[in-house]
Amino acid sequence: MRIRDWDRNLKIRLFGEALMNITFWMFFPFLTIYFAESFGKGNAGFLLVLSQVFSVFANLMGGYTADRFGRKRMMVISAFGQGIAFLIFAYAVSPWFTSPLLGFICFTLVGMFGSIYWPASQAMVADVVPEKDRSSVFAIFYTQINIAVVVGPILGAIFYVKYRFELMIAVAIISILLALVLAKWTRETVPASARQARSENGKWYDFLKDQIADYKVIVQDKIFLMFIIAGILAAQTFMQLDLLFPVYTKDTVHNQTVLELGSKVFTVNGEQAFGLILSENGLLVALFTVVVTRWVTRFRERNVFVLSSLIYAVAILMFGATNWIWGLIAAMAVFTLAELMTAGLQQTFISNLAPEQMRGQYFAAASLRYTIGRTIAPISIPLTVWIGYGWTFTILSILAVLSAVLFWVMFRMYENRKAAGVGVDL
């Protein structure tokens, strides 16, 4: 499905979100270092866990509200809320006032609004794109995010240190502009069946009872629940991209030579090394997401998911085994392969499994892989203090192997259910 054939909502979102993501990634990868330096590694890890706890609840609310009040409305509210939080964050790092604590509170609010935005945005894609084209559309949105991951850190390495305040102001303005554009030029896509399922009448607390009942139905699908649990374990590896990796490179990489061209020698320190491998990840994803997605669809989904987790395990061990910049670059290439293998398959699986009137909540429940995963993942930072980098990377690798085992069990359960002729087709 070509972009020119897309629904107008998706075209507007693709380019608006691309601009927002580029500015966001100009400073986001460096925030873990900022909080670790401001609060210490142990406290920073605890605070990052705390911020993600709030994001978990916001995520679940986001799924319900996307079905209850509409995709467009929740995306507009979320984008505007992020803009206000970024404005306050800018004040917390301004030339006139500095408060890491206030900055952390704003960081938490940004994460909460992002967790509300995500299920609505994913459900909107499923609303307007035919089933046969969803994998490619999701892959293009994923590619757009990773183009921002390439461009953002490169620009951030140049501007972050000297122009942190201005960067925050820029992303705040872009977030608010995105909210205004979504409000004016997009339409609501929530299906009529979802609107009818959510009665406007009732007591103020009825929505909470309805939400609990709906999520109870979702978790009763054992295959879907296993998918979430396996995803949470796998997330402990790929979530380290902006948590453990920047701290590790800062501590272990010291003015290493990357290239020698005649009399010119190009060296990197820890922060620059992290920016380099992060940009490598984004570049590889931007170039190969669609290609790898098409390639892996030739194979059984079970084998793709299992192999992806095992490759994550290998990549994380490679990271822990070296501080040589070219070794880290090689590890990131392996890491990215694992990421690309399931990039297009996962969202298609969710959209096919979800009933039309509960798409937002299914996407919200599925994204618990990321919100709960990100809640647990920051523990790796204080772990490096308690047991060292070597054992920390080993534990993360073991969790990836466990996720492979759970994916294998999940697909065995699915195959048995399919053979019995019951349940929902994946």
Side-chain angles (χ1 to χ4, degrees):
M1 188 177 187
R2 295 168 298 185
I3 293 178
R4 68 182 181 183
D5 299 324
W6 283 16
D7 184 274
R8 186 177 71 170
N9 280 22
L10 302 186
K11 293 178 183 177
I12 292 171
R13 280 185 47 208
L14 181 65
F15 295 104
E17 291 174 12
L19 183 59
M20 179 179 170
N21 287 332
I22 288 172
T23 53
F24 177 76
W25 278 93
M26 287 175 69
F27 65 86
F28 177 72
F30 306 100
L31 288 181
T32 301
I33 298 173
Y34 172 69
F35 291 133
E37 291 177 344
S38 300
F39 302 114
K41 287 183 183 179
N43 291 333
F46 170 76
L47 289 173
L48 290 170
V49 168
L50 182 63
S51 74
Q52 293 308 309
V53 170
F54 288 104
S55 291
V56 169
F57 290 105
N59 184 76
L60 294 175
M61 288 297 298
Y64 179 84
T65 54
D67 290 334
R68 175 70 168 78
F69 301 111
R71 326 301 197 205
K72 172 183 173 179
R73 180 182 297 181
M74 298 316 301
M75 290 167 66
V76 170
I77 291 172
S78 299
F80 186 78
Q82 281 188 314
I84 298 302
F86 278 125
L87 279 177
I88 301 173
F89 203 155
Y91 175 66
V93 295
S94 68
W96 316 285
F97 178 75
T98 301
S99 174
L101 181 59
L102 179 59
F104 172 77
I105 293 171
C106 294
F107 170 80
T108 302
L109 290 173
V110 167
M112 291 177 66
F113 282 117
S115 294
I116 292 172
Y117 187 98
W118 176 256
S121 69
Q122 300 301 288
M124 179 178 282
V125 174
D127 291 340
V128 301
V129 178
E131 181 179 324
K132 63 184 178 63
D133 296 317
R134 287 176 189 162
S135 290
S136 62
V137 173
F138 281 125
I140 290 172
F141 269 96
Y142 192 75
T143 300
Q144 169 257 110
I145 293 172
N146 283 277
I147 290 174
V149 175
V150 175
V151 178
I154 294 173
L155 297 175
I158 300 171
F159 296 107
Y160 171 77
V161 175
K162 294 184 178 180
Y163 302 103
R164 188 181 308 173
F165 170 70
E166 289 81 359
L167 285 177
M168 294 289 185
I169 292 292
V171 75
I173 293 173
I174 291 171
S175 297
I176 293 172
L177 287 176
L178 177 62
L180 295 175
V181 168
L182 291 173
K184 184 172 179 59
W185 284 299
T186 62
R187 75 182 199 285
E188 185 53 71
T189 66
V190 64
S193 57
R195 291 184 180 277
Q196 293 168 1
R198 310 298 182 189
S199 171
E200 296 287 345
N201 301 319
K203 297 182 174 60
W204 66 271
Y205 52 80
D206 283 348
F207 84 94
L208 183 59
K209 294 192 297 183
D210 291 342
Q211 186 178 8
I212 293 172
D214 286 344
Y215 282 117
K216 182 180 178 181
V217 172
I218 292 172
V219 299
Q220 285 174 345
D221 185 338
K222 293 181 181 178
I223 292 174
F224 190 58
L225 182 61
M226 187 75 73
F227 174 75
I228 293 173
I229 296 172
I232 291 171
L233 292 177
Q236 299 315 300
T237 54
F238 61 76
M239 287 294 177
Q240 304 306 328
L241 187 61
D242 53 19
L243 291 169
L244 179 59
F245 290 179
V247 177
Y248 177 69
T249 55
K250 185 175 185 297
D251 285 349
T252 61
V253 178
H254 305 290
N255 295 321
Q256 288 192 24
T257 299
V258 181
L259 286 174
E260 293 187 27
L261 298 176
S263 59
K264 290 190 176 182
V265 178
F266 297 91
T267 63
V268 292
N269 59 25
E271 291 180 348
Q272 292 168 330
F274 171 65
L276 179 62
I277 63 172
L278 185 63
S279 295
E280 174 199 359
N281 171 260
L283 178 61
L284 292 175
V285 170
L287 292 175
F288 298 112
T289 295
V290 176
V291 174
V292 174
T293 298
R294 289 175 181 169
W295 173 62
V296 297
T297 54
R298 303 176 185 176
F299 305 100
R300 295 179 66 179
E301 283 185 321
R302 179 192 67 188
N303 296 341
V304 175
F305 277 86
V306 170
L307 186 59
S308 172
S309 290
L310 294 177
I311 293 175
Y312 270 129
V314 172
I316 209 75
L317 285 177
M318 290 175 66
F319 271 108
T322 184
N323 60 4
W324 178 44
I325 184 60
W326 284 103
L328 295 174
I329 290 172
M332 180 54 72
V334 177
F335 183 93
T336 306
L337 174 61
E339 178 182 354
L340 293 182
M341 290 179 69
T342 58
L345 299 181
Q346 298 185 57
Q347 302 301 79
T348 302
F349 159 65
I350 300 161
S351 62
N352 292 343
L353 187 65
E356 184 181 69
Q357 72 275 13
M358 294 180 67
R359 275 183 184 146
Q361 287 178 277
Y362 262 76
F363 275 108
S367 60
L368 286 174
R369 294 167 295 150
Y370 305 127
T371 49
I372 294 180
R374 186 171 283 279
T375 300
I376 302 170
I379 295 176
S380 64
I381 298 175
L383 265 183
T384 63
V385 178
W386 303 332
I387 62 176
Y389 283 113
W391 279 108
T392 300
F393 280 110
T394 300
I395 290 172
L396 294 173
S397 181
I398 292 171
L399 293 178
V401 173
L402 288 177
S403 76
V405 173
L406 289 182
F407 278 128
W408 180 274
V409 173
M410 181 196 79
F411 278 101
R412 285 291 299 272
M413 292 169 60
Y414 162 66
E415 289 163 1
N416 291 338
R417 189 169 76 176
K418 187 177 180 181
V422 296
V424 182
D425 191 1
L426 283 177

